[in-house]
Amino acid sequence: ADLSLGGAVMLYAPSADREPPTPPSGEYVIYSDTPDDQHTVLLMHMDGENSGSAFRDVSGVGFTAKTITPTNAIISTAQKKFGTSSAYFDGTGDYLSITNHSDFDLSDGGDFTLEMWIQAPAASMYIAGYGDANGVDGVTVWSVQSTGFSIMGAVNLTHTAITGEWYHFAVCRSGATARLFINGTEEDSTTSLGFRSHASPVFQLGR
């Protein structure tokens, strides 16, 4: 199975002074472009040369760009949602890591939003994960499965993920409630989206 993340991956900070706007219940605005603002702490366009491995954070407004370390993941121009390419994970140990940054400590209970475009794989794969710098005590945060999407296994959706189709995926936590939006529509929500605290939090894509 393989997984493509295209267009952009955006993470809005959980910090109290950088809370993202909360969309109305059941609605989510999908942008055709990727506006950068003071709330965005990670912005990845997944663009570059075919088979390249240079992944960049271009958030840049008031923040220092994060270092993104690829493990076998590559840029691919064969599939894309918009732009010229996407990040490609072939399902055999490919992932991207952004380590040891307080912006990725989601255990503080603050609000955050993660959004991206996903080309659904043929089998179950992880979209993103969260743990410590050594990968110990890690927690799978979001995954795409043959039956649909889930958040930490606490939310199992009946929304079927069709292999090869592109989906806009967004997780928004506001207060105690986390909501999962697929293609701009709220599919489910949970109040049990818990995170363990890590001294050196690591955020990963494709794992």
Side-chain angles (χ1 to χ4, degrees), residues 187-203:
E187 294 289 345
D188 218 329
S189 63
T190 180
T191 56
S192 60
L193 188 64
F195 297 92
R196 290 187 283 272
S197 180
H198 298 284
S200 300
V202 57
F203 182 75

Side-chain angles (χ1 to χ4, degrees), residues 3 5 114 116 125-130 139-144 169 203-207:
L3 174 71
L5 304 181
L114 172 75
M116 66 185 76
M125 289 188 70
Y126 298 147
I127 298 170
Y130 165 81
V139 178
T140 299
V141 183
W142 305 280
S143 64
V144 57
F169 173 92
F203 182 75
Q204 296 179 330
L205 295 169
R207 188 183 188 187

Side-chain angles (χ1 to χ4, degrees), residues 98-171:
I98 308 101
T99 60
N100 195 17
H101 200 288
S102 60
D103 284 339
F104 303 117
D105 185 0
L106 306 181
S107 64
D108 64 359
D111 295 353
F112 71 87
T113 297
L114 172 75
E115 61 173 311
M116 66 185 76
W117 284 97
I118 300 167
Q119 188 180 45
S124 300
M125 289 188 70
Y126 298 147
I127 298 170
Y130 165 81
D132 68 16
N134 298 312
V136 179
D137 193 29
V139 178
T140 299
V141 183
W142 305 280
S143 64
V144 57
Q145 307 174 29
S146 57
T147 55
F149 297 86
S150 69
I151 307 175
M152 287 189 69
V155 178
N156 295 304
L157 304 180
T158 57
H159 183 94
T160 301
I162 302 172
T163 301
E165 292 290 323
W166 284 95
Y167 295 89
H168 185 269
F169 173 92
V171 178

